[in-house]
Amino acid sequence: MTQQLSPTERSTIRRGSARARTERSDLHEVLDASLICHLGVLVDGAPRVLPTGYGRIGDTLYVHGSTGARSLREAAEVCVTVTNVDGIVYARSAFHFSVNYRSAVIHGRARQVTDPDERWQALQVITEHLAPGSWEHARQPNKKELAATAVLALDLTEAAVKIRSGGPVDEDEDVEAGKAWAGVLPLETRWGAPEPADDLAADFEVPAHVRDRRYSA
Amino acid sequence: MTQQLSPTERSTIRRGSARARTERSDLHEVLDASLICHLGVLVDGAPRVLPTGYGRIGDTLYVHGSTGARSLREAAEVCVTVTNVDGIVYARSAFHFSVNYRSAVIHGRARQVTDPDERWQALQVITEHLAPGSWEHARQPNKKELAATAVLALDLTEAAVKIRSGGPVDEDEDVEAGKAWAGVLPLETRWGAPEPADDLAADFEVPAHVRDRRYSA
């Protein structure tokens, strides 16, 4: 048995419901494939959307930031959205142009993480999500750095996953007219050559976890 | 004289202010370089963040969607965020890992566009942003399609632009210790080979605006 997402009123997909996915494994895949999320919070009654890194342990998403960041301090009801763009869908009509994408929209009440062990694990997965292999390679946080870092947890219970793939869906008469090109222009993302820091020793070899990193999206 | 962004209380960058840009041209560049934005709206008192296409005419941003989409109908105070990820910054300490990016966060009250000419121009720039050259190549919207499309306008007056580039900023003692690799792993995005639709005539040549498209980010 695979686990199903449990849609609530606000996580039920109404527009383009053919693209909705209901498996929890789809949610995990979308989250694991992207580098950053967009965190939506309320500040003074208005929405604020900020790009930030994240990490995942099971069905909990973690984000971190400065303890001075207002968006993290005041976060309560939040929305975290992760979007992978896979290509542009060219249709015969402007109306049917689209984007191939895999996205997840998560709603919930963010929890400030205060337990030292959970904070440590959260910082580890956030670092590993951004740069796999780096938690063990780099120096881990010291007391002062920990004190300056706020960690928020978000339960993944209430989430909507949408995936669009494949070619355009055109009107029959436009297909028959045959006047416009139609198809997909795929977007490809990959890592370039590592660029050593200016203050790195010239003979410091690029470690395997950087050199061999694969783009997972 | 270049035009300056006019920061308000909420568009003043507090965290990482060294990364803040104040030229309106920087805002335009960040917006023009990305494919999608993340639109933050309030629904039932909670933030909701949705990925969507957009277009720009001067200092007005346009987004569109189905007239049935609740997020567009009810949008009033919105936040639109555009993020280009350029690379991962590997530091000597987990604390100083970072992302090279160019982002814009725009706050404002969205306006439903009702004027037919402005709606038409908005749909044109949204299509051209997603797929340059397509407005003239594809069939333009008919009456029925126009009636099904909601268009929102957002003034770009209140915006914050942040750009991070370059290598890590490490603690002196970590640089001296010389134990970890440090530098940037650039993220490269480009178009793959066009994939014609299944129902496209086999001899339909890929037009120049698709074949020669350059990734602008």
Side-chain angles (χ1 to χ4, degrees):
Chain A
M1 284 279 290
T2 55
Q3 273 195 295
Q4 303 280 309
L5 295 173
S6 321
T8 59
E9 166 71 17
R10 62 184 175 179
S11 70
T12 296
I13 292 169
R14 287 182 186 75
R15 315 306 311 169
S17 55
R19 303 175 187 170
R21 299 296 173 100
T22 55
E23 303 294 329
R24 192 150 284 281
S25 58
D26 289 321
L27 172 63
H28 294 168
E29 274 177 34
V30 168
L31 292 178
D32 295 349
S34 198
L35 286 168
I36 62 158
C37 66
H38 281 81
L39 168 69
V41 295
L42 270 186
V43 179
D44 297 334
R48 183 169 298 187
V49 180
L50 299 168
T52 187
Y54 63 94
R56 180 177 75 83
I57 300 176
D59 279 313
T60 305
L61 189 90
Y62 292 99
V63 299
H64 74 329
S66 162
T67 49
R70 208 177 161 205
S71 53
L72 284 183
R73 273 207 311 269
E74 297 185 3
E77 276 290 333
V78 305
C79 178
V80 168
T81 299
V82 165
T83 309
N84 302 284
V85 175
D86 294 324
I88 303 298
V89 182
Y90 288 70
R92 278 90 168 178
S93 64
F95 186 75
H96 285 297
F97 271 66
S98 190
V99 176
N100 279 343
Y101 64 94
R102 292 159 289 144
S103 75
V105 177
I106 304 145
H107 305 273
R109 187 161 278 272
R111 168 173 62 87
Q112 284 279 358
V113 180
T114 53
D115 176 75
D117 287 345
E118 190 183 4
R119 279 169 54 82
W120 189 258
Q121 286 171 13
L123 294 175
Q124 179 172 353
V125 294
I126 293 168
T127 302
E128 286 290 301
H129 185 91
L130 202 63
S134 292
W135 185 257
E136 290 299 330
H137 180 79
R139 175 177 64 72
Q140 293 169 12
N142 60 31
K143 243 184 190 173
K144 188 180 149 201
E145 291 166 345
L146 284 173
T149 305
V151 177
L152 285 187
L154 178 62
D155 197 282
L156 294 180
T157 302
E158 196 178 352
V161 176
K162 275 175 105 170
I163 297 179
R164 192 208 187 281
S165 59
V169 179
D170 274 305
E171 304 297 329
D172 291 343
E173 53 266 38
D174 292 325
V175 176
E176 282 159 31
K179 288 184 188 162
W181 188 83
V184 174
L185 192 59
L187 196 63
E188 294 173 354
T189 309
R190 56 179 199 177
W191 300 111
E195 299 166 352
D198 293 340
D199 54 6
L200 190 75
D203 60 351
F204 205 121
E205 234 178 284
V206 180
H209 70 280
V210 180
R211 188 190 63 220
D212 301 335
R213 182 169 187 181
R214 293 280 165 272
Y215 196 75
S216 62
Chain B
M1 282 279 291
T2 54
Q3 275 195 295
Q4 303 279 309
L5 296 173
S6 321
T8 59
E9 167 71 17
R10 62 183 174 180
S11 70
T12 296
I13 291 169
R14 288 182 185 76
R15 316 303 314 170
S17 56
R19 303 174 187 173
R21 299 297 173 100
T22 55
E23 303 295 329
R24 193 149 283 279
S25 57
D26 289 320
L27 172 63
H28 294 169
E29 274 178 35
V30 168
L31 293 178
D32 296 349
S34 199
L35 285 168
I36 61 157
C37 67
H38 281 82
L39 168 68
V41 295
L42 269 188
V43 179
D44 297 334
R48 184 169 299 188
V49 179
L50 299 169
T52 189
Y54 63 94
R56 181 178 74 83
I57 300 176
D59 279 313
T60 305
L61 189 89
Y62 292 99
V63 298
H64 74 329
S66 162
T67 49
R70 203 173 167 210
S71 53
L72 285 182
R73 274 206 311 270
E74 298 187 1
E77 276 289 333
V78 304
C79 178
V80 168
T81 298
V82 166
T83 309
N84 302 284
V85 175
D86 295 324
I88 303 298
V89 182
Y90 287 70
R92 278 89 169 178
S93 63
F95 186 76
H96 285 297
F97 271 65
S98 190
V99 176
N100 279 344
Y101 64 94
R102 292 158 290 142
S103 75
V105 177
I106 304 146
H107 304 272
R109 188 162 277 270
R111 169 172 62 87
Q112 283 279 0
V113 180
T114 53
D115 177 76
D117 288 345
E118 189 183 5
R119 277 168 56 82
W120 189 258
Q121 286 170 14
L123 294 176
Q124 178 171 356
V125 294
I126 293 168
T127 302
E128 286 290 301
H129 186 90
L130 203 63
S134 293
W135 185 255
E136 290 300 329
H137 179 79
R139 176 177 63 73
Q140 293 171 10
N142 60 32
K143 242 185 192 173
K144 189 181 146 200
E145 292 167 345
L146 284 173
T149 306
V151 178
L152 286 186
L154 178 63
D155 198 282
L156 293 180
T157 303
E158 196 176 350
V161 176
K162 275 175 104 168
I163 298 179
R164 193 208 186 280
S165 59
V169 179
D170 275 306
E171 305 297 329
D172 291 342
E173 53 267 38
D174 292 324
V175 177
E176 281 159 32
K179 288 183 187 164
W181 188 82
V184 174
L185 191 59
L187 195 62
E188 293 174 355
T189 308
R190 55 179 200 176
W191 300 111
E195 300 167 352
D198 293 339
D199 53 6
L200 191 74
D203 60 350
F204 204 122
E205 235 179 282
V206 180
H209 70 280
V210 180
R211 189 190 63 220
D212 300 337
R213 182 170 186 180
R214 294 278 165 271
Y215 196 77
S216 61

